[in-house]
Amino acid sequence: MSIFETDTEDLDILFDQLEHPDATTRRVAILALADCGHEDAAAPLIRRLNDIEPDLRAEAAKALGNFHLTCVAPALVQALHDPVAAVREAAATALPDVVTQQHEQVLLAAAVHPTPFVQAVALRALIPLRTPAAFPVAAAALTGTPDTAPDTGSDTGTDTRRAAAALLGWLRTEAAGALLVQAARTDPDSEVRRTAIGALTDGPDVEATIRHALSDPSWHVREVAAQRAGRLGLRAALPELAQAMTDDYWQVRVKAAAALGQPGLTEAIPILAPALSSPISTLRKEAAAALGAIGDSAAVPLLEELVNDPDPEVRKLTRKALAELARIT
């Protein structure tokens, strides 16, 4: 018998193997049931979340990510409390794949659990639901009100605030935007500020906050701020993006170059010009693409200097930019 067949007789054999005293036999059965995806396998696999062997509990949690049944998400939420980190991580990875709107209350309850890890996982799992009911718990987690988890360490607290920022970004409300602006400007952890900046879309103070973030002490924040400025087309951020083109970190310069590639932003041409001779090919490529996007024939002589660039991607982007400029000028 192939263990991956899924008729009733085979399933019964695999269910029996799940109870076998030999751990290897139980593992094989878990993997086989995960592969078959038969809905009758969900309940037996949920029981394996209490297996005496931690690695089998983790395998069962991974397997349950294949089952989109009502009973699975609550079981995985419970597994977030497992004493073994590998099991908790497996449950956290599987949970977002199985949640639906009917799990809203389970996740909202987990999002205010006193354990920061559980909070963070629940907040992330709530993202695809985009439920307005998530706003109060996400707001509390981000701002550190008494309803949030006790401080059990900076790493876990940071993870919770980061998850809350990501969730607020998906809610796309004015109140959520106001909290993201506050976090982007004042949160003590750079990863939270970075997540908040990346989640900003539109609304009061967004442009000013992104421009402010382009001088953040963390280059990771400056990088995502430059990227956001480009995606939102923040032409008023030209002075800050010009400064970003001299950043110590090339990753920031690359995102700034891309952000400057806005149609008609001719003021950016002299700002981009020095990047065309950068030893970093990715920066040369982004600068060439940006010059093409600006759409001004003044960039043609600069781009012609790159037609024989040693990097094939730079040459490709340069030819494309020149062709675009020839078309529109």
Side-chain angles (χ1 to χ4, degrees):
M1 178 196 78
S2 168
I3 62 173
F4 299 105
E5 294 171 357
T6 58
D7 58 38
T8 301
E9 182 180 353
D10 294 340
L11 283 173
D12 288 341
I13 292 173
L14 290 172
F15 294 160
D16 288 341
Q17 290 176 342
L18 284 177
E19 308 298 330
H20 198 280
D22 178 61
T24 300
T25 301
R26 299 199 302 278
R27 180 192 298 275
V28 171
I30 290 171
L31 296 175
L33 290 169
D35 184 79
C36 80
H38 197 289
E39 64 179 24
D40 289 346
L45 286 170
I46 287 173
R47 289 195 290 273
R48 283 303 97 203
L49 292 174
N50 295 316
D51 197 286
I52 193 173
E53 296 292 339
D55 58 338
L56 296 192
R57 299 200 299 273
E59 290 292 354
K62 293 176 187 176
L64 286 167
N66 296 326
F67 296 84
H68 301 277
L69 300 171
T70 305
C71 60
V72 172
L76 289 173
V77 169
Q78 186 60 38
L80 297 176
H81 306 282
D82 195 280
V84 176
V87 181
R88 298 194 298 270
E89 292 292 341
T93 300
L95 185 60
D97 293 331
V98 301
V99 296
T100 64
Q101 210 70 39
Q102 62 191 334
H103 299 118
E104 177 181 310
Q105 293 305 315
V106 172
L107 295 175
L108 289 172
V112 294
H113 192 274
T115 304
F117 175 80
V118 176
Q119 269 196 334
V121 173
L123 289 166
R124 290 193 183 95
L126 281 163
I127 288 174
L129 304 186
R130 300 192 187 184
T131 173
F135 175 78
V137 295
L142 182 62
T143 59
T145 67
D147 291 332
T148 60
D151 188 7
T152 59
S154 58
D155 290 341
T156 52
T158 295
D159 197 39
T160 300
R161 298 199 309 280
R162 193 185 313 160
L167 174 54
L168 289 169
W170 281 102
L171 294 181
R172 299 185 185 279
T173 65
E174 185 174 336
L179 289 174
L180 289 171
V181 164
Q182 179 183 351
R185 287 179 171 270
T186 65
D187 196 279
D189 188 272
S190 63
E191 282 302 303
V192 178
R193 298 197 303 275
R194 181 174 182 242
T195 302
I197 286 291
L200 288 172
T201 51
D202 52 22
D205 302 321
V206 167
E207 180 176 305
T209 300
I210 292 174
R211 294 177 67 178
H212 178 269
L214 283 165
S215 59
D216 191 276
S218 167
W219 74 265
H220 292 286
V221 177
R222 299 196 300 275
E223 179 189 26
V224 77
Q227 182 181 49
R228 211 74 195 130
R231 289 186 178 177
L232 297 179
L234 302 185
R235 303 170 75 88
L238 181 64
E240 291 82 6
L241 289 170
Q243 184 62 37
M245 287 298 295
T246 65
D247 198 276
D248 290 339
Y249 289 83
W250 65 266
Q251 295 93 333
V252 179
R253 301 200 300 273
V254 165
K255 292 298 190 296
L260 289 167
Q262 300 180 38
L265 193 63
T266 56
E267 303 95 324
I269 294 176
I271 299 171
L272 288 163
L276 299 175
S277 58
S278 169
I280 301 169
S281 61
T282 303
L283 182 54
R284 299 197 304 275
K285 181 177 70 174
E286 289 296 342
L291 289 170
I294 290 170
D296 191 300
S297 59
V300 171
L302 297 172
L303 288 167
E304 287 176 340
E305 295 294 322
L306 290 182
V307 293
N308 295 315
D309 193 275
D311 188 290
E313 284 298 310
V314 176
R315 296 196 302 270
K316 177 182 175 180
L317 264 295
T318 299
R319 289 194 298 270
K320 183 178 178 180
L322 285 169
E324 181 65 15
L325 288 174
R327 185 184 69 81
I328 63 178
T329 59

Coordinates of all heavy atoms in Angstrom, one line a residue, residues 91-161:
A91 N 3.0 26.4 14.5 CA 1.6 26.8 14.6 C 1.4 28.2 14.1 O 0.4 28.5 13.4 CB 1.1 26.7 16.0
A92 N 2.4 29.1 14.4 CA 2.3 30.5 13.9 C 2.4 30.5 12.4 O 1.7 31.4 11.8 CB 3.4 31.3 14.6
T93 N 3.2 29.7 11.8 CA 3.4 29.7 10.4 C 2.1 29.2 9.7 O 1.7 29.7 8.6 CB 4.6 28.8 10.0 OG1 5.7 29.4 10.6 CG2 4.7 28.8 8.5
A94 N 1.5 28.1 10.3 CA 0.3 27.5 9.6 C -1.0 28.4 9.8 O -1.8 28.3 8.9 CB 0.1 26.1 10.2
L95 N -1.1 29.1 10.9 CA -2.3 29.8 11.2 C -2.9 30.7 10.1 O -4.1 30.6 9.8 CB -2.2 30.5 12.5 CG -3.4 31.2 13.1 CD1 -4.5 30.1 13.4 CD2 -3.1 31.9 14.4
P96 N -2.0 31.6 9.6 CA -2.6 32.5 8.6 C -3.2 31.8 7.3 O -4.1 32.4 6.7 CB -1.4 33.4 8.1 CG -0.5 33.3 9.3 CD -0.6 31.9 9.8
D97 N -2.8 30.6 7.1 CA -3.3 29.8 5.9 C -4.7 29.3 6.1 O -5.4 28.9 5.2 CB -2.4 28.7 5.6 CG -1.0 29.2 5.1 OD1 -1.0 30.3 4.5 OD2 0.0 28.4 5.3
V98 N -5.2 29.2 7.4 CA -6.5 28.5 7.6 C -7.5 29.5 8.2 O -8.7 29.0 8.3 CB -6.3 27.4 8.6 CG1 -5.3 26.4 8.0 CG2 -5.8 27.8 10.0
V99 N -7.2 30.7 8.5 CA -8.2 31.6 9.1 C -9.2 32.1 8.1 O -8.9 32.3 6.9 CB -7.5 32.8 9.9 CG1 -6.7 32.3 11.0 CG2 -6.7 33.6 8.9
T100 N -10.4 32.2 8.5 CA -11.5 32.8 7.7 C -12.3 33.8 8.6 O -12.0 33.9 9.8 CB -12.5 31.7 7.2 OG1 -13.1 31.1 8.3 CG2 -11.7 30.7 6.4
Q101 N -13.3 34.4 8.1 CA -14.0 35.4 8.9 C -14.7 34.8 10.1 O -14.8 35.5 11.1 CB -15.1 36.0 8.0 CG -15.5 37.4 8.4 CD -14.3 38.4 8.0 OE1 -13.7 38.3 7.0 NE2 -14.1 39.4 8.9
Q102 N -15.0 33.5 10.1 CA -15.6 32.9 11.2 C -14.7 32.7 12.4 O -15.1 32.4 13.5 CB -16.2 31.5 10.8 CG -15.1 30.5 10.3 CD -15.7 29.3 9.7 OE1 -16.8 28.9 10.0 NE2 -15.0 28.6 8.8
H103 N -13.4 32.9 12.2 CA -12.4 32.8 13.3 C -12.1 34.2 13.9 O -11.2 34.3 14.7 CB -11.1 32.2 12.8 CG -11.3 30.8 12.2 ND1 -11.0 30.5 10.9 CD2 -11.7 29.7 12.8 CE1 -11.2 29.2 10.7 NE2 -11.7 28.7 11.8
E104 N -12.8 35.2 13.5 CA -12.5 36.6 14.0 C -12.5 36.7 15.5 O -11.5 37.2 16.0 CB -13.6 37.5 13.4 CG -13.5 38.9 13.9 CD -14.6 39.8 13.3 OE1 -14.8 39.8 12.1 OE2 -15.2 40.6 14.1
Q105 N -13.5 36.1 16.2 CA -13.5 36.2 17.6 C -12.4 35.5 18.3 O -11.8 36.0 19.3 CB -14.9 35.8 18.2 CG -16.0 36.7 17.7 CD -15.8 38.1 18.1 OE1 -15.4 38.4 19.3 NE2 -16.1 39.0 17.2
V106 N -12.0 34.3 17.8 CA -10.9 33.6 18.3 C -9.6 34.4 18.2 O -8.8 34.4 19.2 CB -10.8 32.2 17.6 CG1 -9.5 31.5 18.0 CG2 -12.0 31.3 17.9
L107 N -9.4 35.0 17.1 CA -8.2 35.8 16.9 C -8.2 37.1 17.7 O -7.1 37.5 18.2 CB -8.0 36.1 15.4 CG -7.8 34.9 14.5 CD1 -7.7 35.3 13.0 CD2 -6.5 34.1 14.9
L108 N -9.3 37.7 17.8 CA -9.4 38.9 18.6 C -9.1 38.6 20.1 O -8.4 39.4 20.7 CB -10.8 39.6 18.5 CG -11.1 40.2 17.1 CD1 -12.6 40.6 17.1 CD2 -10.2 41.4 16.9
A109 N -9.6 37.5 20.5 CA -9.2 37.1 21.9 C -7.8 36.8 22.1 O -7.1 37.2 23.1 CB -10.1 35.9 22.3
A110 N -7.2 36.1 21.1 CA -5.7 35.8 21.2 C -4.9 37.1 21.1 O -3.8 37.2 21.7 CB -5.3 34.9 20.1
A111 N -5.4 38.1 20.4 CA -4.7 39.4 20.2 C -4.5 40.2 21.5 O -3.7 41.1 21.5 CB -5.3 40.2 19.1
V112 N -5.3 39.9 22.5 CA -5.1 40.5 23.8 C -4.6 39.6 24.9 O -4.7 39.9 26.1 CB -6.5 41.2 24.2 CG1 -6.8 42.3 23.3 CG2 -7.6 40.2 24.3
H113 N -4.1 38.4 24.4 CA -3.5 37.5 25.4 C -2.3 38.1 26.1 O -1.6 38.9 25.5 CB -3.2 36.2 24.7 CG -2.8 35.1 25.6 ND1 -1.6 34.9 26.1 CD2 -3.6 34.1 26.1 CE1 -1.6 33.8 26.9 NE2 -2.8 33.3 26.9
P114 N -2.0 37.8 27.3 CA -0.9 38.4 28.0 C 0.5 37.9 27.5 O 1.5 38.4 27.9 CB -1.1 37.9 29.5 CG -2.0 36.8 29.4 CD -2.9 37.0 28.2
T115 N 0.5 37.0 26.6 CA 1.8 36.5 26.0 C 2.1 37.3 24.7 O 1.3 37.2 23.7 CB 1.8 35.0 25.7 OG1 1.5 34.3 26.9 CG2 3.2 34.6 25.2
P116 N 3.2 38.1 24.6 CA 3.4 38.9 23.4 C 3.5 38.0 22.1 O 3.0 38.5 21.1 CB 4.8 39.5 23.7 CG 4.8 39.6 25.2 CD 4.1 38.4 25.7
F117 N 4.1 36.8 22.2 CA 4.2 36.0 21.0 C 2.8 35.7 20.4 O 2.5 35.8 19.2 CB 4.9 34.7 21.3 CG 5.0 33.8 20.1 CD1 5.9 33.9 19.1 CD2 4.1 32.7 20.1 CE1 5.9 33.0 18.0 CE2 4.1 31.8 19.0 CZ 5.0 32.0 18.0
V118 N 1.9 35.3 21.3 CA 0.5 35.0 20.9 C -0.2 36.2 20.3 O -0.8 36.2 19.3 CB -0.3 34.4 22.1 CG1 -1.7 34.2 21.7 CG2 0.3 33.1 22.6
Q119 N 0.0 37.3 21.0 CA -0.5 38.6 20.5 C -0.1 38.9 19.1 O -0.9 39.1 18.2 CB 0.0 39.8 21.3 CG -0.9 40.1 22.5 CD -0.6 41.5 23.0 OE1 0.6 41.9 22.9 NE2 -1.5 42.2 23.6
A120 N 1.2 38.8 18.8 CA 1.8 39.1 17.5 C 1.3 38.2 16.4 O 0.9 38.6 15.3 CB 3.3 39.1 17.6
V121 N 1.2 36.9 16.7 CA 0.7 36.0 15.7 C -0.7 36.2 15.4 O -1.2 36.2 14.2 CB 0.9 34.5 16.2 CG1 0.2 33.5 15.3 CG2 2.4 34.2 16.3
A122 N -1.5 36.5 16.4 CA -3.0 36.7 16.2 C -3.2 38.0 15.4 O -4.0 38.1 14.5 CB -3.7 36.8 17.5
L123 N -2.4 39.0 15.7 CA -2.5 40.3 14.9 C -2.2 40.1 13.5 O -2.9 40.6 12.6 CB -1.6 41.3 15.5 CG -2.0 41.9 16.9 CD1 -0.9 42.7 17.5 CD2 -3.3 42.8 16.8
R124 N -1.2 39.3 13.2 CA -0.8 39.0 11.8 C -1.9 38.2 11.1 O -2.2 38.4 9.9 CB 0.5 38.3 11.7 CG 1.7 39.2 12.1 CD 3.0 38.5 11.7 NE 4.1 39.4 12.1 CZ 4.8 39.2 13.2 NH1 4.5 38.2 14.1 NH2 5.8 40.0 13.6
A125 N -2.5 37.2 11.8 CA -3.5 36.4 11.3 C -4.8 37.2 11.0 O -5.6 36.8 10.1 CB -3.8 35.2 12.2
L126 N -5.0 38.3 11.7 CA -6.2 39.1 11.4 C -6.0 39.9 10.2 O -7.1 40.5 9.7 CB -6.4 40.0 12.6 CG -7.1 39.4 13.9 CD1 -6.8 40.3 15.1 CD2 -8.5 39.2 13.6
I127 N -4.8 40.1 9.7 CA -4.6 41.0 8.5 C -5.5 40.7 7.3 O -6.2 41.5 6.8 CB -3.1 41.0 8.1 CG1 -2.3 41.8 9.2 CG2 -3.0 41.7 6.7 CD1 -0.8 41.8 8.9
P128 N -5.6 39.4 6.9 CA -6.4 39.1 5.7 C -7.9 39.3 5.9 O -8.6 39.4 5.0 CB -6.0 37.7 5.3 CG -5.5 37.1 6.6 CD -4.8 38.2 7.3
L129 N -8.3 39.3 7.2 CA -9.7 39.5 7.5 C -10.2 40.9 7.3 O -11.3 41.2 7.0 CB -10.1 39.0 8.9 CG -9.7 37.5 9.2 CD1 -10.2 37.2 10.6 CD2 -10.3 36.6 8.1
R130 N -9.2 41.9 7.6 CA -9.5 43.3 7.4 C -10.7 43.7 8.2 O -11.5 44.5 7.7 CB -9.6 43.7 6.0 CG -8.3 43.4 5.2 CD -8.3 44.1 3.9 NE -7.1 43.7 3.1 CZ -6.8 44.2 1.9 NH1 -7.6 45.1 1.3 NH2 -5.8 43.7 1.2
T131 N -10.9 43.2 9.3 CA -12.1 43.5 10.1 C -12.0 44.7 10.9 O -11.0 44.9 11.6 CB -12.5 42.3 11.1 OG1 -13.6 42.7 11.9 CG2 -11.3 41.9 11.9
P132 N -12.9 45.6 10.9 CA -12.9 46.9 11.7 C -12.7 46.6 13.2 O -12.2 47.4 13.9 CB -14.2 47.6 11.3 CG -14.6 47.1 10.0 CD -14.1 45.6 10.0
A133 N -13.2 45.4 13.6 CA -13.2 45.1 15.0 C -11.8 44.9 15.5 O -11.5 44.9 16.7 CB -14.0 43.8 15.3
A134 N -10.8 44.8 14.6 CA -9.4 44.6 15.0 C -8.8 45.9 15.4 O -7.7 45.9 16.0 CB -8.6 43.9 13.8
F135 N -9.4 47.0 15.0 CA -8.7 48.3 15.3 C -8.4 48.5 16.8 O -7.3 48.9 17.1 CB -9.6 49.5 14.8 CG -9.0 50.8 15.1 CD1 -7.9 51.3 14.4 CD2 -9.5 51.5 16.2 CE1 -7.4 52.5 14.7 CE2 -9.0 52.8 16.5 CZ -7.9 53.3 15.8
P136 N -9.3 48.3 17.7 CA -9.0 48.6 19.1 C -7.8 47.8 19.6 O -7.0 48.3 20.3 CB -10.3 48.3 19.9 CG -11.4 48.3 18.8 CD -10.7 47.9 17.6
V137 N -7.8 46.5 19.3 CA -6.7 45.7 19.8 C -5.3 46.0 19.1 O -4.3 46.0 19.8 CB -7.0 44.1 19.6 CG1 -8.2 43.7 20.5 CG2 -7.2 43.8 18.2
A138 N -5.4 46.3 17.8 CA -4.2 46.7 17.1 C -3.7 48.1 17.7 O -2.5 48.3 17.9 CB -4.4 46.8 15.6
A139 N -4.6 49.0 17.9 CA -4.2 50.3 18.5 C -3.6 50.2 19.8 O -2.6 50.8 20.2 CB -5.5 51.2 18.5
A140 N -4.2 49.3 20.7 CA -3.7 49.1 22.0 C -2.3 48.5 22.0 O -1.4 48.9 22.7 CB -4.6 48.2 22.8
A141 N -2.1 47.5 21.1 CA -0.8 46.9 21.0 C 0.3 47.8 20.5 O 1.4 47.8 20.9 CB -0.9 45.7 20.0
L142 N -0.1 48.7 19.6 CA 0.9 49.6 19.0 C 1.3 50.7 20.0 O 2.4 51.1 20.1 CB 0.4 50.2 17.7 CG 1.3 51.1 16.9 CD1 2.6 50.4 16.5 CD2 0.7 51.7 15.7
T143 N 0.3 51.2 20.7 CA 0.6 52.4 21.5 C 0.9 52.0 22.9 O 1.3 52.9 23.8 CB -0.7 53.3 21.6 OG1 -1.8 52.6 22.1 CG2 -1.0 53.8 20.2
G144 N 0.9 50.7 23.3 CA 1.3 50.3 24.6 C 0.4 50.7 25.7 O 0.8 51.0 26.8
T145 N -1.0 50.7 25.5 CA -1.9 51.0 26.5 C -2.0 49.9 27.5 O -1.5 48.8 27.2 CB -3.3 51.3 25.9 OG1 -3.8 50.0 25.3 CG2 -3.3 52.3 24.8
P146 N -2.6 50.0 28.6 CA -2.7 48.9 29.6 C -3.3 47.6 29.1 O -3.2 46.6 29.7 CB -3.5 49.5 30.8 CG -3.3 51.0 30.6 CD -3.2 51.3 29.2
D147 N -4.1 47.7 28.0 CA -4.7 46.5 27.5 C -3.7 45.6 26.8 O -4.0 44.5 26.4 CB -5.8 46.8 26.5 CG -7.0 47.4 27.2 OD1 -7.2 47.1 28.4 OD2 -7.7 48.2 26.6
T148 N -2.5 46.1 26.5 CA -1.5 45.2 25.8 C -0.8 44.3 26.7 O -0.9 44.4 28.0 CB -0.5 46.1 25.0 OG1 0.2 46.9 26.0 CG2 -1.2 47.0 24.1
A149 N 0.1 43.5 26.1 CA 0.8 42.5 26.9 C 1.8 43.2 27.9 O 2.3 44.3 27.6 CB 1.6 41.6 26.0
P150 N 2.1 42.6 29.0 CA 3.1 43.1 29.9 C 4.5 43.0 29.2 O 4.7 42.2 28.3 CB 3.0 42.2 31.1 CG 2.4 41.0 30.6 CD 1.5 41.4 29.5
D151 N 5.3 43.9 29.6 CA 6.7 43.9 29.0 C 7.5 42.8 29.5 O 8.0 42.8 30.6 CB 7.4 45.3 29.3 CG 8.6 45.4 28.5 OD1 8.9 44.6 27.7 OD2 9.4 46.4 28.8
T152 N 7.7 41.8 28.6 CA 8.5 40.6 29.0 C 9.8 40.6 28.2 O 10.5 39.6 28.2 CB 7.7 39.3 28.7 OG1 7.4 39.3 27.3 CG2 6.4 39.3 29.5
G153 N 10.1 41.7 27.6 CA 11.4 41.7 26.8 C 11.2 42.6 25.6 O 10.1 42.6 24.9
S154 N 12.2 43.3 25.2 CA 12.1 44.2 24.1 C 11.8 43.5 22.8 O 11.1 44.0 21.9 CB 13.4 45.1 23.9 OG 14.5 44.2 23.8
D155 N 12.4 42.4 22.5 CA 12.2 41.7 21.3 C 10.7 41.3 21.0 O 10.2 41.6 20.0 CB 13.1 40.4 21.2 CG 14.6 40.8 21.1 OD1 14.8 41.9 20.7 OD2 15.4 39.9 21.4
T156 N 10.1 40.7 22.0 CA 8.7 40.3 21.9 C 7.8 41.5 21.8 O 6.9 41.5 21.1 CB 8.3 39.4 23.0 OG1 8.6 40.0 24.3 CG2 9.0 38.0 23.0
G157 N 8.1 42.5 22.6 CA 7.3 43.7 22.5 C 7.4 44.4 21.2 O 6.4 44.9 20.6
T158 N 8.5 44.4 20.6 CA 8.7 45.0 19.3 C 8.0 44.2 18.3 O 7.3 44.8 17.4 CB 10.2 45.0 18.9 OG1 10.9 45.8 19.8 CG2 10.5 45.4 17.5
D159 N 8.0 42.9 18.3 CA 7.3 42.0 17.4 C 5.8 42.3 17.4 O 5.1 42.3 16.4 CB 7.6 40.6 17.7 CG 7.2 39.7 16.5 OD1 7.5 40.1 15.4 OD2 6.7 38.6 16.7
T160 N 5.3 42.5 18.6 CA 3.8 42.8 18.8 C 3.5 44.1 18.1 O 2.5 44.3 17.4 CB 3.4 42.8 20.2 OG1 3.7 41.5 20.8 CG2 2.0 43.1 20.4
R161 N 4.3 45.1 18.4 CA 4.0 46.5 17.8 C 4.2 46.5 16.3 O 3.4 47.1 15.6 CB 4.9 47.5 18.5 CG 4.7 47.7 19.9 CD 5.3 49.0 20.5 NE 6.7 49.3 20.1 CZ 7.7 48.8 20.7 NH1 7.6 47.9 21.7 NH2 9.0 49.1 20.3

